[in-house]
Amino acid sequence: MAVTEETLSIGTVSARTGLSAHTLRFYEQEGLFVDPVRRDSAGRRMFTHREVEWLRVCVRLRETGMSLPDIRRYVELVRQGPGTEQERFALLRGHEAKVRRQVAQLQESLGVIEAKVATYARHLEQGTADGLWREGPECD
């Protein structure tokens, strides 16, 4: 007796991943799934739990700014199988370095904002906040 894997409709996957049905179709058209998306007898897309987990990874990669071509390249390498591990690793390390640069820039920007908040807090406490920006920005 064959065991069939549970499949999920596009609506269910959309609800579980936060991706719209349109985005799921787009990801399929862009070749971002490792395996072809299955269809039921009526031609509707049916997703496996493995595909849902992969979509969660894609969401994280996209949230960190990884481009669709880079995700597609990663998927292509996975499809090619053994022998591509070093290239996959290099792609991920390159993205990791990019994200680290972004985090450093955000930390620097946060420092500026924190200083600005401290300036406003000090002026509000002193009752002089109405004068902020009248003579230009105060950046101390």
Side-chain angles (χ1 to χ4, degrees):
M1 180 173 167
V3 176
T4 57
E5 186 175 10
E6 180 187 7
T7 56
L8 307 166
S9 70
I10 198 167
T12 301
V13 172
S14 177
R16 288 188 183 183
T17 63
L19 297 170
S20 69
H22 174 78
T23 298
L24 293 169
R25 289 184 203 102
F26 176 75
Y27 277 18
E28 179 188 13
Q29 291 167 353
E30 289 296 308
L32 301 185
F33 288 96
V34 175
D35 298 315
V37 175
R38 299 175 194 178
R39 308 279 175 153
D40 66 11
S41 59
R44 293 181 294 250
R45 289 168 180 84
M46 300 303 292
F47 299 87
T48 64
H49 287 286
R50 180 176 176 228
E51 290 159 338
V52 172
E53 289 308 310
W54 170 243
L55 284 167
R56 288 187 173 127
V57 171
C58 285
V59 167
R60 290 294 183 182
L61 293 173
R62 291 293 295 142
E63 286 173 348
T64 61
M66 183 178 268
S67 68
L68 290 178
D70 281 349
I71 295 172
R72 186 181 314 107
R73 179 66 184 141
Y74 183 82
V75 169
E76 289 167 358
L77 291 167
V78 170
R79 281 190 204 123
Q80 290 173 23
T84 64
E85 296 85 359
Q86 287 297 324
E87 194 173 345
R88 287 184 252 167
F89 179 70
L91 193 148
L92 291 171
R93 285 303 297 252
H95 185 64
E96 177 186 40
K98 177 183 168 190
V99 170
R100 287 187 187 283
R101 287 189 301 273
Q102 290 172 330
V103 168
Q105 290 170 342
L106 285 171
Q107 287 290 345
E108 187 177 319
S109 296
L110 180 59
V112 171
I113 293 168
E114 288 172 338
K116 200 70 185 155
V117 166
T119 297
Y120 267 86
R122 188 176 65 252
H123 282 273
L124 285 169
E125 189 176 298
Q126 295 169 355
T128 59
D130 65 325
L132 289 172
W133 284 85
R134 287 206 184 157
E135 305 296 323
E138 183 179 323
C139 294
D140 58 341

